Amino acid sequence: MLSVVVAPWEGEPVFVRAPDEPHDAASTMKVAVLAALHRSGADLDAEVPVVNRFVSVAGGEFANDPGWDSDPEPWALLGGTAPLRLLAERMITHSSNLATNLCLARVGHPAVAEVWRRAGATRSASPRGIEDYPARDQGVHNRVSALDLVRLLRSLAGEPELLALLERNAFRVDLAAGLPPGTRIAFKNGWSPGVRHGVGLVHPGDCPSYLLAVCYTGPLASGEDETAADPAARLLARISAAVWERRREIAR
């Protein structure tokens, strides 16, 4: 299943394909966790214990697998402490699963649900942590739609520091790979076997900024974090490149 939404920064989408189709959220839900954390008023400079035991929403506990994490830095701090700000940054810039669950434990699921509600999401929710497999086995899933991801990014309009952090995303594959080198894009991607998503705010420089969300669920997604290794990432890059070619028409 392929879902696509193209929209100006302000205004209704100009192109949609299966915009409300639900997909496994993968790491795109980390944007909602980031917003919840910043809106909570938490002291981002506070040191928090770096642990790998989390409460499952199904009861009991679960842990992250370092082999499934794309960021080794938080794991190097295991057993010590880290500033909440650092964990939030690694959650976005390097898509750390461990940092995500530490931030989520700090802010709570209701706060993340409120982020989705304020964004106007209709099909998306993040009711469990990353790798909370006991909850998943009981039918609790993190879901997103392409249209809700556009709504989520647009809801950050009054929080430029969050958009600036999204510009520092180190995984410049899929959507970013389809843009000319040096093009500014505030974005978050997510991937796992069978899933490849991306949502971004693109700043062309020669026309107004625009939003693009692409969600793909299917056999092309290898789960690799590099464009060359994941056919689905190359698909998203081609879509991003095609939208770029018509960027001047979006705001019209």
Side-chain angles (χ1 to χ4, degrees), residues 30-77:
K30 295 171 182 176
V31 178
V33 177
L34 176 70
L37 183 64
H38 276 254
R39 293 170 188 175
S40 71
D43 179 4
L44 298 181
D45 294 316
E47 295 280 336
V48 299
V50 179
V51 299
N52 188 27
R53 300 301 301 177
F54 305 101
V55 177
S56 170
V57 297
E61 293 184 326
F62 72 98
N64 287 124
D65 181 350
W68 281 103
D69 206 329
S70 57
D71 184 15
E73 182 167 316
W75 290 95
L77 303 173

Side-chain angles (χ1 to χ4, degrees), residues 133-208:
Y133 297 135
R136 184 194 64 181
D137 292 344
Q138 292 191 16
V140 181
H141 299 290
N142 294 329
R143 301 290 194 199
V144 294
S145 71
L147 185 54
D148 284 346
L149 286 175
V150 163
R151 289 166 172 154
L152 177 60
L153 229 57
R154 186 175 279 156
S155 73
L156 306 182
E159 298 163 292
E161 68 277 14
L162 303 190
L163 293 172
L165 181 57
L166 289 166
E167 287 194 41
R168 292 167 48 197
N169 185 345
F171 293 98
R172 306 195 71 79
V173 295
D174 44 65
L175 298 187
L179 302 173
T183 302
R184 288 178 57 206
I185 175 173
F187 72 112
K188 185 71 190 78
N189 34 21
W191 60 91
S192 64
V195 171
R196 168 66 69 169
H197 308 325
V199 58
L201 171 62
V202 183
H203 301 287
D206 59 355
C207 66

